[in-house]
Amino acid sequence: MKLLNRVELIVDKKRYLDLGLKKGDQGIVLGEERNGYWLVYFDGEIFQGEDGVWQTTEIDAAVLEEDVKVIME
């Protein structure tokens, strides 16, 4: 696994479920490996709030390499 790989979460663990992530969610690796974990930004939606400010529902999480599979390099 390396920076900018597209990955898919392949497990349902409490730590991910608590963040709002579930098996099958996809994202991009945007951080180097550190202590066995990778920083992944999981897909969300971009929308304009009532105040006119653009917002996103993407979720960033530190994930174990064994909990994701690379789907695009």
Side-chain angles (χ1 to χ4, degrees):
M1 200 156 76
K2 61 185 179 183
L3 215 54
L4 301 180
N5 279 165
R6 184 138 181 88
V7 297
E8 180 178 325
L9 191 62
I10 58 172
V11 296
D12 277 328
K13 287 186 177 176
K14 183 175 179 355
R15 59 176 277 122
Y16 303 132
L17 294 170
D18 288 347
L19 293 171
L21 297 169
K22 64 186 178 317
K23 184 177 177 179
D25 285 345
Q26 298 180 1
I28 302 287
V29 177
L30 289 180
E32 298 285 341
E33 183 270 337
R34 182 177 285 174
N35 297 323
Y37 289 86
W38 292 82
L39 178 61
V40 177
Y41 278 74
F42 288 91
D43 299 344
E45 296 179 21
I46 298 173
F47 63 95
Q48 194 169 19
E50 292 178 14
D51 57 2
V53 176
W54 289 96
Q55 303 172 24
T56 182
T57 59
E58 68 185 12
I59 298 170
D60 59 319
V63 299
L64 290 168
E65 187 166 347
E66 65 200 38
D67 293 343
V68 293
K69 70 176 179 181
V70 175
I71 55 175
M72 188 178 353
E73 292 189 25

